Amino acid sequence: MKQATLLAAPLLAVSLSPAVLHAQAAEDPVVTPFADIRYRLELVDQDGVAEDATASTLRVKAGVKTGSWHGLSALVEGEAIMRVGPRHYNDTTNGLTRYPVVADPTDVLLNQFYVRFNPGKTVDAVAGRQVINLDNQRWIGSVGWRQNDQTFDAGRVSVTPVDGLTAQYIHSWRVNRIFGPDSPQGVWRDSAINAVNISYKLGEAGTLTGYGYWLGIPQAPAASSRTLGARLAGQHPVAEGVKLLYAAEYAHQSDFSPNSANFGLDYLALEPGVAFKGLTLKAGYEQLEGNGAVALQTPLATLHAFNGWADVFLTTPASGLRDLYADAAYKFADGPAKGLLLRVAYHDFDSTVGDLDYGQEFDALIAYPLTRQIGISAKLAHYNSDGFATDRTKAWFTLEAKF
């Protein structure tokens, strides 16, 4: 089970003492319970692996959060992941390598456990085990797609000195990864991860963000790096009901201790699009440079959201990755199908050096909110290899309830 941080535990004990709870009652409810229950069936057919995978799992997250007392509040959240049905998949810890990987090991975890100080709009500070999602989660995210969240034992401070300008600093000493503590790479202990993220809203032009991420990870030296970059994202109305969408990002990544490699590699992303009522169309180009020996990596990202849902490129190949893609989505705004989301995407992958064709992928999603608290979805990904990795098809059925 994940252990609570030494910093968060005494602070939380103070915030939940009887005297504090009594005083707090006049300001906010003492505690508010919450729960997130998700069932998922995941099917994987992968060339080169002896048998197909069938993973039927149930994830239950539940906890309580306190009200605010002089700006202080706290949250405690547990998480249980259970197998429901046969053990016909490799969860990365059960040794069933004759099946494809479905990285949802069973476990009971302390998912979040933190204290927050938020006295007003200017300062927001959080200490303890927490979910952290920055920008579009390309560099740091919670990997919310998998049953076990990625969380950080960290201190986080955000300041907003003027309207529209927000600066964040994060220091994390431990990463609790999706593979769980039973995996050799499930917990990155004794890390020195520092992140600075500064964003400014440029009115109708969008939001400009500058960032620096210094990852010192002794348990994964090859994942250690320094990344400096900037991102601009926004939308602009051009006619009634029509908006232009745009995002552009550039970053440079170099070696950082304890990584013994010597490199300097670039990241580039461009994503123009248009939205008309419920229809959204996007085209995109993303480049993670490689030099044939090493490549730019984003080990703390919510990787499933990028470069295809088949998860072929969770680690960037040494020859780099170019992803040219198109994405179309339609969400019904009214009628009996209100809230229904249909989405398809196509990716073409190749290298940044060596002129290598990797393959293509087709993705599709249908999601529908049964009620305000309950949603259902089905998802499909098919990767067709041109020489990198192997062909694979993945399908998911998900039912989720949040209270």
Side-chain angles (χ1 to χ4, degrees):
M1 180 177 291
K2 297 179 183 177
Q3 301 298 313
T5 64
L6 294 176
L7 177 61
L11 289 174
L12 187 58
V14 170
S15 69
L16 293 179
S17 66
V20 170
L21 292 178
H22 178 73
Q24 188 181 10
E27 185 174 340
D28 277 329
V30 176
V31 293
T32 301
F34 60 89
D36 182 338
I37 304 169
R38 180 165 69 191
Y39 168 78
R40 174 173 293 147
L41 176 65
E42 181 167 346
L43 308 173
V44 184
D45 177 0
Q46 182 174 334
D47 286 2
V49 183
E51 301 187 45
D52 295 345
T54 300
S56 176
T57 59
L58 179 68
R59 194 278 312 276
V60 178
K61 288 198 298 188
V64 295
K65 55 184 178 181
T66 73
S68 178
W69 180 73
H70 297 292
L72 282 171
S73 62
L75 180 143
V76 181
E77 179 184 76
E79 181 180 78
I81 303 149
M82 296 156 278
R83 176 175 51 84
V84 183
R87 190 179 298 176
H88 293 169
Y89 62 102
N90 176 7
D91 69 6
T92 73
T93 64
N94 61 13
L96 299 179
T97 56
R98 66 182 183 275
Y99 297 104
V101 169
V102 177
D104 290 326
T106 59
D107 214 332
V108 178
L109 312 165
L110 178 62
N111 199 49
Q112 295 194 81
F113 184 24
Y114 64 74
V115 174
R116 170 172 252 135
F117 180 60
N118 183 211
K121 295 181 179 181
T122 304
V123 177
D124 186 13
V126 183
R129 180 158 298 170
Q130 56 191 284
V131 163
I132 298 177
N133 292 313
L134 297 182
D135 302 322
N136 64 344
Q137 303 182 43
R138 197 7 154 169
W139 302 98
I140 296 180
S142 62
V143 198
W145 167 250
R146 296 259 53 106
Q147 297 287 52
N148 181 25
D149 291 332
Q150 176 170 268
T151 62
F152 299 82
D153 291 7
R156 180 180 186 182
V157 178
S158 175
V159 295
T160 306
V162 296
D163 287 346
L165 176 64
T166 300
Q168 296 186 67
Y169 170 70
I170 299 165
H171 174 73
S172 174
W173 53 93
R174 172 175 166 139
V175 184
N176 308 293
R177 307 181 72 216
I178 63 170
F179 309 106
D182 292 337
S183 168
Q185 286 293 315
V187 179
W188 284 344
R189 299 177 177 85
D190 303 319
S191 296
I193 296 169
N194 293 281
V196 175
N197 184 286
I198 302 172
S199 64
Y200 184 67
K201 294 181 179 179
L202 301 171
E204 293 186 355
T207 299
L208 177 64
T209 303
Y211 53 80
Y213 304 130
W214 293 262
L215 312 184
I217 308 172
Q219 290 182 267
S224 301
S225 64
R226 176 184 64 187
T227 303
L228 304 176
R231 173 181 173 83
L232 176 65
Q235 57 185 30
H236 186 74
V238 293
E240 185 176 355
V242 181
K243 295 180 181 179
L244 290 181
L245 313 174
Y246 46 88
E249 184 170 354
Y250 169 79
H252 182 76
Q253 186 175 95
S254 56
D255 51 281
F256 188 72
S257 179
N259 194 336
S260 60
N262 182 14
F263 61 89
L265 301 165
D266 292 333
Y267 172 84
L268 177 65
L270 300 170
E271 188 181 75
V274 61
F276 174 67
K277 296 184 178 179
L279 178 65
T280 301
L281 301 174
K282 295 180 180 179
Y285 174 83
E286 187 178 36
Q287 174 182 294
L288 293 85
E289 189 178 15
N291 59 21
V294 296
L296 183 145
Q297 304 292 343
T298 64
L300 302 181
T302 297
L303 290 165
H304 181 76
F306 301 89
N307 310 132
W309 296 336
D311 290 339
V312 176
F313 297 99
L314 299 180
T315 299
T316 311
S319 295
L321 174 66
R322 289 194 182 102
D323 179 5
L324 183 64
Y325 62 91
D327 191 308
Y330 185 79
K331 188 172 184 178
F332 291 81
D334 46 39
K338 182 178 180 180
L340 176 66
L341 173 65
L342 305 175
R343 182 180 173 190
V344 293
Y346 175 80
H347 298 259
D348 185 75
F349 304 108
D350 60 12
S351 66
T352 62
V353 295
D355 194 26
L356 304 175
D357 292 327
Y358 289 152
Q360 303 82 37
E361 182 170 324
F362 172 79
D363 299 327
L365 167 71
I366 179 169
Y368 183 68
L370 299 174
T371 70
R372 294 183 64 181
Q373 290 82 29
I374 302 174
I376 191 170
S377 67
K379 194 170 175 178
L380 176 71
H382 175 70
Y383 174 74
N384 182 38
S385 172
D386 278 343
F388 182 84
T390 59
D391 293 357
R392 66 201 63 186
T393 301
K394 297 186 177 185
W396 301 266
F397 170 80
T398 303
L399 177 65
E400 186 166 11
K402 297 182 180 182
F403 306 97

